[in-house]
Each structure stands twice: as structure tokens, then as C-alpha cells.
Amino acid sequence: MAAAASSTLLQGSNFTNARRVPRTSDQQRIPNCVARRSAPSSLCFRIGSGRTAAVVRAAAAAGDGDASAVSLPAALLFDCDGVLVDTEKDGHRISFNETFAERELGVSWDVELYGELLKIGGGKERMTAYFNKTGWPAKAPKTDEERKQFIASLHKRKTELFMALIEKKLLPLRPGVQRLIDEALGKEVKVAVCSTSNEKAVSAIVSCLLGPDRAEKITIFAGDVVPRKKPDPAIYILAATTVGVDPSSCVVVEDSTIGLAAAKAAGMKCIVTKSGYTAEEDFATADAVFDCIGDPPEVRFDLDFCADLLQKQYGQPAQERDHAGDVAYQSPA
């Protein structure tokens, strides 16, 4: 029987399968919130505090400051877990452990270990990789095909337990999610959720937490809808094709390096909103990085910001820690 999990079990292993997206020549680092080039009416907003604080500098249009019309994104594509809801530590992890306990597998994923396992996209893939590394439970079957069915049954039960948590509304939406979705839908921007999680679990989050009226207007791409999961770009390419938009006109909101890699490989702009498990990941290739989307009076970004990423072809939001531990994010005017 596999021993109860601890983070030490994965020492020396490499569960990361994210592809690094090369930095382009125009993505240059800049010092401490100093603009790469000056522009009139430059505004600087401080958000958050401590190590998670960010400074976003938005420069007004050149010349006399009159803004020209900016095209909105054709679609906003959201990851689910960690973006819509911070589900991993107290949602998915708990549901996995309850499933393991019900089956008497002698397995429990602690917080640190689960953070490592999140580098693998997909719950079935996560369990398979873990058991391949640490040894399969005594109650698990022996053949590959039977083990595949065993994993599927575990994942089905885990999804049922997770959906029960969502239906009880024990996990809230992250700040700003509903606001940004309402803004997009109100301006006829297409909205989709693209996730490696089970489709039923994602649908439960969208329907229960955003409400049925919004859910009817949001397209969901989830689970095994594509054969290869993030960091492969397949799910984002499928989303763009299905809703009938060019990938280059889409803005993705992600929270992890594997999601970021998938979005950039699909040719899309990507904004990262860090989550509990991903706060220390390297998001050097993101178009912008925030601690959350944000609600008034602490809005981090809105639909116009997403439009600016496309219209002005903002480069890398260079970041450099200052002496106080803040992070400066810069988008060129």
C-alpha cells in the first residue's frame, strides 16, 4: 500500500511540463516603475502591499491626450481554478483526499505536495503521475487498462465531492471576476472558460457562482475536450476556433506558468492573476501580472486595459523588485 504522501516524496523528481516561451527583443526589463519612454499625463497606481504589491503605470495617448478609438478584444478566455475561484488548496485537494480515504488507499496529499503536483495539468494525469512515482496502492489493479479505469473512477468521485463544495458556495469568486465578465458581456465581447478540470466541475462553478443568466452566455471548454492539456495550446486554439475569433484578438486570464505557456503558444495575450499556489512562479513571458482582477475601490484592470494590450501591442511588463519588495509592472505607452 502506498504510504501517506508528503512533500519529500517528490524530491528529485521533475513534475513540471511547462514550455518556456522565449522573451522577444522588445520585452526589456526597466528599473523600478520608470517608463521606457515618456508620455504626457502619465498615471501611476499602487495596488496591494508588501511582496504582492504592484505598481501599474498607464500612459495616456501621445500628443494632446485625446484617446483614439480602441478595439475591444474579440474574446476574453478565463482559466477556472485559481482564476475564477481559488479552488486548489481547500477545494480540489480536499476532494482528492476524501476520495482516497473513502477507497482506503492510504494516500493523503498535503498542501506542499499538492503544489508540486499542480505542475501537471489535469486531475487524472496528476494521480497517474503520482502513483507512477511513489508506487500504486495495494488496492489498485495491475494492468495499464485497469489502472486507467481505476483512475477514472477516482476522478469521477472526486468531482462529485468537489461539486458538492461548490454548490454549498463554500468557495467564493475571486475579486473582480464577476465585474470583468459583466463588463465584457455588456459590450458583446465573447467570454469562455478554458480549463483542464472536469467539465461538470467547471460548469458547476460557472453556474453556481456566476449565476444561470451569465452561464448561458459563457462557453465552457474543459476536461478531455482536447487530447493534450495545458501547457499545450490546444484548448485555447479550440476555443478561438469554436467561438469564431482570431487567436491574436483574444486576451487570456491565467494564474499559472502552464496556463501562461498554453496561451502564449496559441498566439494570445495573457494576463496573470496570481493565486495561492502560483504566487512565486516565474511569469516573465506574461503581458501583465496582478494579484487579482480587483473590485472597486481596488480595481487592478478592466476591459479597456485588455483592449490596450491588443491595440498598442504592449510588450513584456518588465518587473524589478525595489528595496521595499514591491514589484513594478510597466506597459509602454
Side-chain angles (χ1 to χ4, degrees):
M1 180 178 295
S6 73
S7 58
T8 59
L9 290 174
L10 299 186
Q11 287 182 356
S13 65
N14 180 14
F15 278 94
T16 304
N17 58 359
R19 293 198 297 268
R20 174 110 179 150
V21 181
R23 182 188 299 274
T24 58
S25 59
D26 65 335
Q27 294 178 335
Q28 303 171 359
R29 292 191 179 279
I30 61 170
N32 300 331
C33 201
V34 176
R36 271 179 287 198
R37 56 181 182 272
S38 61
S41 303
S42 183
L43 303 176
C44 189
F45 304 95
R46 177 171 296 278
I47 54 182
S49 60
R51 290 178 63 83
T52 61
V55 178
V56 179
R57 183 179 297 270
D64 62 3
D66 290 337
S68 58
V70 176
S71 298
L72 295 174
L76 283 186
L77 308 179
F78 294 83
D79 178 38
C80 182
D81 299 304
V83 172
L84 301 184
V85 186
D86 206 345
T87 53
E88 298 295 3
K89 180 170 72 74
D90 298 320
H92 287 294
R93 186 183 69 88
I94 298 300
S95 300
F96 274 117
N97 285 340
E98 289 180 353
T99 300
F100 298 152
E102 285 183 358
R103 297 292 184 92
E104 298 180 339
L105 301 183
V107 173
S108 180
W109 288 348
D110 64 28
V111 172
E112 184 178 357
L113 172 60
Y114 192 69
E116 288 298 309
L117 290 170
L118 283 176
K119 295 174 183 177
I120 303 167
K124 293 189 291 290
E125 293 80 0
R126 202 167 295 143
M127 286 187 285
T128 301
Y130 172 78
F131 291 138
N132 283 340
K133 175 66 180 179
T134 64
W136 286 76
K139 292 189 175 183
K142 305 303 179 184
T143 69
D144 289 344
E145 185 58 34
E146 287 176 331
R147 284 178 172 176
K148 184 176 180 181
Q149 295 174 6
F150 174 71
I151 289 293
S153 70
L154 291 178
H155 195 259
K156 179 181 179 181
R157 178 55 179 157
K158 173 259 170 187
T159 299
E160 292 171 350
L161 294 170
F162 177 77
M163 288 175 63
L165 287 176
I166 296 301
E167 289 168 359
K168 293 176 183 177
K169 298 187 177 180
L170 298 177
L171 299 171
L173 289 172
R174 293 193 67 193
V177 168
Q178 183 172 306
R179 174 188 59 79
L180 184 60
I181 288 176
D182 283 347
E183 189 177 358
L185 293 176
K187 295 185 178 180
E188 299 184 347
V189 173
K190 295 178 180 179
V191 176
V193 176
C194 303
S195 173
T196 60
S197 291
N198 181 277
E199 189 274 335
K200 290 183 178 179
V202 176
S203 294
I205 288 174
V206 173
S207 180
C208 293
L209 301 184
L210 285 168
D213 291 342
R214 293 185 187 88
E216 289 181 358
K217 303 172 185 177
I218 297 173
T219 308
I220 293 174
F221 303 89
D224 298 323
V225 69
V226 290
R228 297 175 304 279
K229 297 184 178 180
K230 302 173 187 178
D232 193 280
I235 195 164
Y236 284 123
I237 293 172
L238 174 65
T241 301
T242 303
V243 303
V245 300
D246 191 296
S248 65
S249 68
C250 298
V251 174
V252 174
V253 184
E254 271 284 358
D255 77 307
S256 68
T257 53
I258 63 172
L260 168 61
K264 299 306 287 185
M268 300 176 179
K269 294 293 185 180
C270 186
I271 300 172
V272 169
T273 56
K274 295 182 178 183
S275 63
Y277 269 118
T278 67
E280 300 304 319
E281 291 186 12
D282 179 8
F283 297 115
T285 58
D287 295 285
V289 180
F290 299 92
D291 59 342
C292 65
I293 298 172
D295 281 315
E298 296 182 346
V299 172
R300 274 43 168 183
F301 67 93
D302 57 14
L303 192 61
D304 287 341
F305 180 85
C306 298
D308 285 343
L309 287 179
L310 298 174
Q311 183 73 11
K312 299 183 180 181
Q313 293 299 298
Y314 284 4
Q316 170 64 24
Q319 61 181 42
E320 183 172 309
R321 295 191 183 279
D322 62 22
H323 67 280
D326 291 345
V327 181
Y329 295 97
Q330 176 66 40
S331 295

mmCIF file of all heavy atoms in Angstrom, residues 11-54:
data_model
loop_
_atom_site.group_PDB
_atom_site.id
_atom_site.type_symbol
_atom_site.label_atom_id
_atom_site.label_comp_id
_atom_site.label_asym_id
_atom_site.label_seq_id
_atom_site.Cartn_x
_atom_site.Cartn_y
_atom_site.Cartn_z
ATOM 1 N N GLN A 11 10.959 14.799 -4.023
ATOM 2 C CA GLN A 11 12.271 15.413 -4.128
ATOM 3 C C GLN A 11 13.059 14.708 -5.215
ATOM 4 O O GLN A 11 13.127 13.492 -5.284
ATOM 5 C CB GLN A 11 13.012 15.331 -2.797
ATOM 6 C CG GLN A 11 12.441 16.285 -1.752
ATOM 7 C CD GLN A 11 13.196 16.230 -0.449
ATOM 8 O OE1 GLN A 11 14.098 15.421 -0.306
ATOM 9 N NE2 GLN A 11 12.836 17.084 0.475
ATOM 10 N N GLY A 12 13.684 15.508 -6.045
ATOM 11 C CA GLY A 12 14.480 14.950 -7.120
ATOM 12 C C GLY A 12 13.678 14.645 -8.362
ATOM 13 O O GLY A 12 14.241 14.316 -9.395
ATOM 14 N N SER A 13 12.380 14.719 -8.269
ATOM 15 C CA SER A 13 11.561 14.473 -9.448
ATOM 16 C C SER A 13 11.245 15.780 -10.120
ATOM 17 O O SER A 13 11.331 16.843 -9.537
ATOM 18 C CB SER A 13 10.262 13.763 -9.046
ATOM 19 O OG SER A 13 9.479 14.605 -8.241
ATOM 20 N N ASN A 14 10.854 15.696 -11.370
ATOM 21 C CA ASN A 14 10.519 16.898 -12.115
ATOM 22 C C ASN A 14 9.130 16.727 -12.697
ATOM 23 O O ASN A 14 8.943 16.079 -13.704
ATOM 24 C CB ASN A 14 11.544 17.135 -13.232
ATOM 25 C CG ASN A 14 11.230 18.383 -14.024
ATOM 26 O OD1 ASN A 14 10.415 19.199 -13.590
ATOM 27 N ND2 ASN A 14 11.881 18.551 -15.153
ATOM 28 N N PHE A 15 8.141 17.307 -12.021
ATOM 29 C CA PHE A 15 6.769 17.198 -12.495
ATOM 30 C C PHE A 15 6.418 18.329 -13.452
ATOM 31 O O PHE A 15 5.329 18.374 -13.987
ATOM 32 C CB PHE A 15 5.793 17.212 -11.310
ATOM 33 C CG PHE A 15 5.661 15.864 -10.661
ATOM 34 C CD1 PHE A 15 6.436 15.536 -9.583
ATOM 35 C CD2 PHE A 15 4.764 14.923 -11.152
ATOM 36 C CE1 PHE A 15 6.313 14.298 -8.983
ATOM 37 C CE2 PHE A 15 4.635 13.694 -10.555
ATOM 38 C CZ PHE A 15 5.412 13.368 -9.470
ATOM 39 N N THR A 16 7.318 19.279 -13.657
ATOM 40 C CA THR A 16 6.998 20.437 -14.490
ATOM 41 C C THR A 16 7.026 20.048 -15.952
ATOM 42 O O THR A 16 8.006 19.510 -16.438
ATOM 43 C CB THR A 16 8.010 21.570 -14.248
ATOM 44 O OG1 THR A 16 8.016 21.873 -12.862
ATOM 45 C CG2 THR A 16 7.640 22.799 -15.049
ATOM 46 N N ASN A 17 5.940 20.351 -16.684
ATOM 47 C CA ASN A 17 5.931 20.076 -18.116
ATOM 48 C C ASN A 17 5.617 21.335 -18.909
ATOM 49 O O ASN A 17 5.253 21.279 -20.064
ATOM 50 C CB ASN A 17 4.934 18.961 -18.456
ATOM 51 C CG ASN A 17 3.527 19.292 -18.013
ATOM 52 O OD1 ASN A 17 3.293 20.354 -17.430
ATOM 53 N ND2 ASN A 17 2.596 18.402 -18.284
ATOM 54 N N ALA A 18 5.781 22.509 -18.276
ATOM 55 C CA ALA A 18 5.505 23.761 -18.971
ATOM 56 C C ALA A 18 6.629 24.084 -19.934
ATOM 57 O O ALA A 18 7.795 23.862 -19.635
ATOM 58 C CB ALA A 18 5.347 24.905 -17.967
ATOM 59 N N ARG A 19 6.247 24.603 -21.114
ATOM 60 C CA ARG A 19 7.240 25.041 -22.073
ATOM 61 C C ARG A 19 7.528 26.514 -21.865
ATOM 62 O O ARG A 19 6.629 27.324 -21.774
ATOM 63 C CB ARG A 19 6.729 24.828 -23.505
ATOM 64 C CG ARG A 19 6.576 23.392 -23.889
ATOM 65 C CD ARG A 19 6.517 23.267 -25.400
ATOM 66 N NE ARG A 19 5.352 23.965 -25.930
ATOM 67 C CZ ARG A 19 4.198 23.386 -26.137
ATOM 68 N NH1 ARG A 19 4.038 22.120 -25.872
ATOM 69 N NH2 ARG A 19 3.180 24.060 -26.628
ATOM 70 N N ARG A 20 8.774 26.869 -21.798
ATOM 71 C CA ARG A 20 9.173 28.258 -21.618
ATOM 72 C C ARG A 20 8.998 28.992 -22.927
ATOM 73 O O ARG A 20 9.449 28.505 -23.969
ATOM 74 C CB ARG A 20 10.632 28.323 -21.181
ATOM 75 C CG ARG A 20 11.161 29.742 -21.125
ATOM 76 C CD ARG A 20 11.395 30.159 -19.724
ATOM 77 N NE ARG A 20 11.913 31.492 -19.642
ATOM 78 C CZ ARG A 20 11.686 32.282 -18.634
ATOM 79 N NH1 ARG A 20 10.933 31.864 -17.646
ATOM 80 N NH2 ARG A 20 12.193 33.476 -18.571
ATOM 81 N N VAL A 21 8.356 30.133 -22.921
ATOM 82 C CA VAL A 21 8.178 30.941 -24.119
ATOM 83 C C VAL A 21 9.293 31.969 -24.157
ATOM 84 O O VAL A 21 9.467 32.734 -23.204
ATOM 85 C CB VAL A 21 6.813 31.661 -24.121
ATOM 86 C CG1 VAL A 21 6.643 32.463 -25.392
ATOM 87 C CG2 VAL A 21 5.709 30.627 -23.989
ATOM 88 N N PRO A 22 10.108 32.000 -25.217
ATOM 89 C CA PRO A 22 11.254 32.920 -25.248
ATOM 90 C C PRO A 22 10.828 34.371 -25.146
ATOM 91 O O PRO A 22 9.786 34.775 -25.649
ATOM 92 C CB PRO A 22 11.885 32.622 -26.618
ATOM 93 C CG PRO A 22 11.373 31.274 -27.002
ATOM 94 C CD PRO A 22 9.998 31.178 -26.410
ATOM 95 N N ARG A 23 11.648 35.164 -24.499
ATOM 96 C CA ARG A 23 11.418 36.602 -24.416
ATOM 97 C C ARG A 23 11.758 37.232 -25.752
ATOM 98 O O ARG A 23 12.787 36.936 -26.351
ATOM 99 C CB ARG A 23 12.316 37.199 -23.322
ATOM 100 C CG ARG A 23 12.111 38.684 -23.119
ATOM 101 C CD ARG A 23 13.163 39.231 -22.167
ATOM 102 N NE ARG A 23 13.060 38.603 -20.875
ATOM 103 C CZ ARG A 23 12.254 39.017 -19.912
ATOM 104 N NH1 ARG A 23 11.476 40.052 -20.106
ATOM 105 N NH2 ARG A 23 12.206 38.399 -18.754
ATOM 106 N N THR A 24 10.897 38.095 -26.258
ATOM 107 C CA THR A 24 11.170 38.775 -27.508
ATOM 108 C C THR A 24 12.047 39.987 -27.269
ATOM 109 O O THR A 24 12.233 40.446 -26.152
ATOM 110 C CB THR A 24 9.859 39.230 -28.177
ATOM 111 O OG1 THR A 24 9.163 40.086 -27.284
ATOM 112 C CG2 THR A 24 8.972 38.026 -28.493
ATOM 113 N N SER A 25 12.577 40.523 -28.353
ATOM 114 C CA SER A 25 13.567 41.595 -28.230
ATOM 115 C C SER A 25 13.016 42.852 -27.600
ATOM 116 O O SER A 25 13.748 43.625 -26.989
ATOM 117 C CB SER A 25 14.123 41.926 -29.619
ATOM 118 O OG SER A 25 13.072 42.337 -30.473
ATOM 119 N N ASP A 26 11.697 43.091 -27.752
ATOM 120 C CA ASP A 26 11.130 44.323 -27.199
ATOM 121 C C ASP A 26 10.681 44.162 -25.752
ATOM 122 O O ASP A 26 10.162 45.088 -25.157
ATOM 123 C CB ASP A 26 9.943 44.790 -28.045
ATOM 124 C CG ASP A 26 8.794 43.804 -27.999
ATOM 125 O OD1 ASP A 26 9.044 42.624 -27.753
ATOM 126 O OD2 ASP A 26 7.662 44.260 -28.226
ATOM 127 N N GLN A 27 10.897 42.994 -25.182
ATOM 128 C CA GLN A 27 10.478 42.764 -23.810
ATOM 129 C C GLN A 27 11.680 42.991 -22.904
ATOM 130 O O GLN A 27 12.376 42.063 -22.527
ATOM 131 C CB GLN A 27 9.933 41.345 -23.650
ATOM 132 C CG GLN A 27 8.656 41.144 -24.437
ATOM 133 C CD GLN A 27 8.153 39.731 -24.324
ATOM 134 O OE1 GLN A 27 8.923 38.822 -24.068
ATOM 135 N NE2 GLN A 27 6.862 39.538 -24.520
ATOM 136 N N GLN A 28 11.939 44.229 -22.561
ATOM 137 C CA GLN A 28 13.114 44.607 -21.812
ATOM 138 C C GLN A 28 12.748 44.942 -20.381
ATOM 139 O O GLN A 28 11.699 45.491 -20.112
ATOM 140 C CB GLN A 28 13.774 45.832 -22.469
ATOM 141 C CG GLN A 28 14.128 45.593 -23.934
ATOM 142 C CD GLN A 28 14.567 46.868 -24.605
ATOM 143 O OE1 GLN A 28 14.580 47.923 -23.976
ATOM 144 N NE2 GLN A 28 14.939 46.775 -25.859
ATOM 145 N N ARG A 29 13.661 44.623 -19.475
ATOM 146 C CA ARG A 29 13.434 44.993 -18.085
ATOM 147 C C ARG A 29 13.715 46.486 -17.905
ATOM 148 O O ARG A 29 14.590 47.056 -18.539
ATOM 149 C CB ARG A 29 14.341 44.177 -17.158
ATOM 150 C CG ARG A 29 13.958 42.714 -17.157
ATOM 151 C CD ARG A 29 14.691 41.984 -16.044
ATOM 152 N NE ARG A 29 14.318 40.584 -16.029
ATOM 153 C CZ ARG A 29 13.223 40.111 -15.474
ATOM 154 N NH1 ARG A 29 12.386 40.927 -14.877
ATOM 155 N NH2 ARG A 29 12.943 38.825 -15.503
ATOM 156 N N ILE A 30 12.976 47.117 -17.028
ATOM 157 C CA ILE A 30 13.176 48.524 -16.739
ATOM 158 C C ILE A 30 13.287 48.696 -15.245
ATOM 159 O O ILE A 30 12.770 47.896 -14.477
ATOM 160 C CB ILE A 30 12.003 49.386 -17.278
ATOM 161 C CG1 ILE A 30 10.705 48.942 -16.601
ATOM 162 C CG2 ILE A 30 11.907 49.314 -18.771
ATOM 163 C CD1 ILE A 30 9.564 49.861 -16.879
ATOM 164 N N PRO A 31 13.965 49.702 -14.775
ATOM 165 C CA PRO A 31 14.140 49.892 -13.333
ATOM 166 C C PRO A 31 12.920 50.512 -12.679
ATOM 167 O O PRO A 31 12.341 51.452 -13.202
ATOM 168 C CB PRO A 31 15.343 50.844 -13.259
ATOM 169 C CG PRO A 31 15.292 51.600 -14.546
ATOM 170 C CD PRO A 31 14.758 50.633 -15.568
ATOM 171 N N ASN A 32 12.486 49.903 -11.543
ATOM 172 C CA ASN A 32 11.544 50.473 -10.578
ATOM 173 C C ASN A 32 10.549 51.502 -11.095
ATOM 174 O O ASN A 32 10.613 52.672 -10.778
ATOM 175 C CB ASN A 32 12.315 51.092 -9.414
ATOM 176 C CG ASN A 32 13.150 50.057 -8.700
ATOM 177 O OD1 ASN A 32 12.802 48.874 -8.672
ATOM 178 N ND2 ASN A 32 14.249 50.495 -8.125
ATOM 179 N N CYS A 33 9.599 51.043 -11.871
ATOM 180 C CA CYS A 33 8.463 51.884 -12.294
ATOM 181 C C CYS A 33 8.894 53.139 -13.035
ATOM 182 O O CYS A 33 8.291 54.188 -12.917
ATOM 183 C CB CYS A 33 7.589 52.272 -11.100
ATOM 184 S SG CYS A 33 5.925 52.768 -11.570
ATOM 185 N N VAL A 34 9.995 53.053 -13.827
ATOM 186 C CA VAL A 34 10.429 54.167 -14.655
ATOM 187 C C VAL A 34 10.040 53.834 -16.082
ATOM 188 O O VAL A 34 10.385 52.779 -16.589
ATOM 189 C CB VAL A 34 11.955 54.375 -14.571
ATOM 190 C CG1 VAL A 34 12.391 55.487 -15.509
ATOM 191 C CG2 VAL A 34 12.353 54.710 -13.140
ATOM 192 N N ALA A 35 9.329 54.706 -16.728
ATOM 193 C CA ALA A 35 8.832 54.415 -18.067
ATOM 194 C C ALA A 35 9.974 54.286 -19.051
ATOM 195 O O ALA A 35 10.988 54.965 -18.945
ATOM 196 C CB ALA A 35 7.888 55.524 -18.535
ATOM 197 N N ARG A 36 9.785 53.370 -20.038
ATOM 198 C CA ARG A 36 10.793 53.226 -21.067
ATOM 199 C C ARG A 36 10.852 54.456 -21.957
ATOM 200 O O ARG A 36 11.869 54.767 -22.535
ATOM 201 C CB ARG A 36 10.502 51.978 -21.914
ATOM 202 C CG ARG A 36 11.146 50.737 -21.370
ATOM 203 C CD ARG A 36 10.826 49.545 -22.208
ATOM 204 N NE ARG A 36 9.442 49.136 -22.027
ATOM 205 C CZ ARG A 36 8.997 47.932 -22.367
ATOM 206 N NH1 ARG A 36 9.802 47.052 -22.880
ATOM 207 N NH2 ARG A 36 7.733 47.614 -22.179
ATOM 208 N N ARG A 37 9.740 55.109 -22.142
ATOM 209 C CA ARG A 37 9.748 56.376 -22.862
ATOM 210 C C ARG A 37 8.666 57.252 -22.263
ATOM 211 O O ARG A 37 7.647 56.772 -21.809
ATOM 212 C CB ARG A 37 9.518 56.150 -24.363
ATOM 213 C CG ARG A 37 8.236 55.400 -24.710
ATOM 214 C CD ARG A 37 8.162 55.233 -26.210
ATOM 215 N NE ARG A 37 6.950 54.575 -26.619
ATOM 216 C CZ ARG A 37 6.820 53.265 -26.713
ATOM 217 N NH1 ARG A 37 7.839 52.494 -26.396
ATOM 218 N NH2 ARG A 37 5.686 52.725 -27.116
ATOM 219 N N SER A 38 8.908 58.509 -22.236
ATOM 220 C CA SER A 38 7.985 59.416 -21.563
ATOM 221 C C SER A 38 6.756 59.656 -22.410
ATOM 222 O O SER A 38 6.773 59.529 -23.618
ATOM 223 C CB SER A 38 8.684 60.757 -21.294
ATOM 224 O OG SER A 38 9.082 61.340 -22.513
ATOM 225 N N ALA A 39 5.667 60.016 -21.735
ATOM 226 C CA ALA A 39 4.417 60.353 -22.409
ATOM 227 C C ALA A 39 3.652 61.291 -21.506
ATOM 228 O O ALA A 39 3.786 61.250 -20.290
ATOM 229 C CB ALA A 39 3.598 59.107 -22.693
ATOM 230 N N PRO A 40 2.841 62.178 -22.075
ATOM 231 C CA PRO A 40 2.097 63.120 -21.243
ATOM 232 C C PRO A 40 1.055 62.414 -20.401
ATOM 233 O O PRO A 40 0.593 61.330 -20.723
ATOM 234 C CB PRO A 40 1.441 64.035 -22.288
ATOM 235 C CG PRO A 40 1.365 63.210 -23.530
ATOM 236 C CD PRO A 40 2.579 62.348 -23.510
ATOM 237 N N SER A 41 0.671 63.056 -19.316
ATOM 238 C CA SER A 41 -0.408 62.586 -18.435
ATOM 239 C C SER A 41 -0.162 61.175 -17.941
ATOM 240 O O SER A 41 -1.050 60.336 -17.952
ATOM 241 C CB SER A 41 -1.759 62.652 -19.168
ATOM 242 O OG SER A 41 -2.015 63.953 -19.616
ATOM 243 N N SER A 42 1.063 60.874 -17.536
ATOM 244 C CA SER A 42 1.387 59.533 -17.047
ATOM 245 C C SER A 42 0.802 59.338 -15.650
ATOM 246 O O SER A 42 0.952 60.175 -14.786
ATOM 247 C CB SER A 42 2.905 59.360 -17.005
ATOM 248 O OG SER A 42 3.243 58.071 -16.607
ATOM 249 N N LEU A 43 0.126 58.222 -15.444
ATOM 250 C CA LEU A 43 -0.530 57.949 -14.180
ATOM 251 C C LEU A 43 0.076 56.706 -13.557
ATOM 252 O O LEU A 43 0.363 55.736 -14.241
ATOM 253 C CB LEU A 43 -2.031 57.719 -14.406
ATOM 254 C CG LEU A 43 -2.781 58.852 -15.101
ATOM 255 C CD1 LEU A 43 -4.221 58.418 -15.327
ATOM 256 C CD2 LEU A 43 -2.738 60.117 -14.274
ATOM 257 N N CYS A 44 0.263 56.733 -12.249
ATOM 258 C CA CYS A 44 0.827 55.579 -11.567
ATOM 259 C C CYS A 44 -0.085 55.183 -10.417
ATOM 260 O O CYS A 44 -0.445 56.022 -9.601
ATOM 261 C CB CYS A 44 2.222 55.911 -11.033
ATOM 262 S SG CYS A 44 3.113 54.499 -10.391
ATOM 263 N N PHE A 45 -0.488 53.908 -10.371
ATOM 264 C CA PHE A 45 -1.391 53.422 -9.340
ATOM 265 C C PHE A 45 -0.692 52.345 -8.532
ATOM 266 O O PHE A 45 -0.133 51.413 -9.097
ATOM 267 C CB PHE A 45 -2.657 52.821 -9.970
ATOM 268 C CG PHE A 45 -3.372 53.780 -10.873
ATOM 269 C CD1 PHE A 45 -3.139 53.766 -12.233
ATOM 270 C CD2 PHE A 45 -4.270 54.699 -10.353
ATOM 271 C CE1 PHE A 45 -3.796 54.648 -13.067
ATOM 272 C CE2 PHE A 45 -4.933 55.574 -11.188
ATOM 273 C CZ PHE A 45 -4.694 55.556 -12.548
ATOM 274 N N ARG A 46 -0.740 52.444 -7.195
ATOM 275 C CA ARG A 46 -0.177 51.406 -6.348
ATOM 276 C C ARG A 46 -1.318 50.521 -5.861
ATOM 277 O O ARG A 46 -2.334 50.997 -5.395
ATOM 278 C CB ARG A 46 0.548 52.010 -5.140
ATOM 279 C CG ARG A 46 1.099 50.968 -4.190
ATOM 280 C CD ARG A 46 1.992 51.612 -3.155
ATOM 281 N NE ARG A 46 3.150 52.215 -3.751
ATOM 282 C CZ ARG A 46 4.251 51.526 -4.078
ATOM 283 N NH1 ARG A 46 4.308 50.235 -3.866
ATOM 284 N NH2 ARG A 46 5.275 52.142 -4.610
ATOM 285 N N ILE A 47 -1.110 49.203 -5.967
ATOM 286 C CA ILE A 47 -2.137 48.260 -5.554
ATOM 287 C C ILE A 47 -1.519 47.190 -4.685
ATOM 288 O O ILE A 47 -0.407 46.751 -4.917
ATOM 289 C CB ILE A 47 -2.818 47.609 -6.772
ATOM 290 C CG1 ILE A 47 -1.784 46.986 -7.709
ATOM 291 C CG2 ILE A 47 -3.661 48.596 -7.512
ATOM 292 C CD1 ILE A 47 -2.376 46.367 -8.935
ATOM 293 N N GLY A 48 -2.228 46.777 -3.669
ATOM 294 C CA GLY A 48 -1.738 45.743 -2.786
ATOM 295 C C GLY A 48 -0.697 46.289 -1.840
ATOM 296 O O GLY A 48 -0.532 47.484 -1.655
ATOM 297 N N SER A 49 0.052 45.390 -1.210
ATOM 298 C CA SER A 49 1.082 45.807 -0.286
ATOM 299 C C SER A 49 2.109 44.711 -0.156
ATOM 300 O O SER A 49 1.889 43.573 -0.539
ATOM 301 C CB SER A 49 0.473 46.111 1.086
ATOM 302 O OG SER A 49 -0.152 44.960 1.610
ATOM 303 N N GLY A 50 3.277 45.060 0.382
ATOM 304 C CA GLY A 50 4.329 44.087 0.620
ATOM 305 C C GLY A 50 4.823 43.456 -0.663
ATOM 306 O O GLY A 50 4.875 44.078 -1.717
ATOM 307 N N ARG A 51 5.182 42.188 -0.586
ATOM 308 C CA ARG A 51 5.764 41.499 -1.734
ATOM 309 C C ARG A 51 4.771 41.317 -2.862
ATOM 310 O O ARG A 51 5.160 41.120 -4.004
ATOM 311 C CB ARG A 51 6.309 40.132 -1.315
ATOM 312 C CG ARG A 51 7.530 40.222 -0.437
ATOM 313 C CD ARG A 51 7.980 38.834 -0.026
ATOM 314 N NE ARG A 51 8.379 38.033 -1.174
ATOM 315 C CZ ARG A 51 9.590 38.100 -1.735
ATOM 316 N NH1 ARG A 51 10.498 38.943 -1.275
ATOM 317 N NH2 ARG A 51 9.889 37.322 -2.752
ATOM 318 N N THR A 52 3.472 41.337 -2.561
ATOM 319 C CA THR A 52 2.483 41.153 -3.622
ATOM 320 C C THR A 52 1.999 42.472 -4.202
ATOM 321 O O THR A 52 1.122 42.492 -5.050
ATOM 322 C CB THR A 52 1.262 40.381 -3.098
ATOM 323 O OG1 THR A 52 0.654 41.117 -2.043
ATOM 324 C CG2 THR A 52 1.659 39.006 -2.617
ATOM 325 N N ALA A 53 2.569 43.564 -3.710
ATOM 326 C CA ALA A 53 2.142 44.854 -4.235
ATOM 327 C C ALA A 53 2.597 44.996 -5.675
ATOM 328 O O ALA A 53 3.565 44.409 -6.103
ATOM 329 C CB ALA A 53 2.738 45.980 -3.395
ATOM 330 N N ALA A 54 1.875 45.788 -6.447
ATOM 331 C CA ALA A 54 2.281 46.038 -7.821
ATOM 332 C C ALA A 54 2.009 47.485 -8.156
ATOM 333 O O ALA A 54 1.107 48.097 -7.622
ATOM 334 C CB ALA A 54 1.509 45.127 -8.771
#
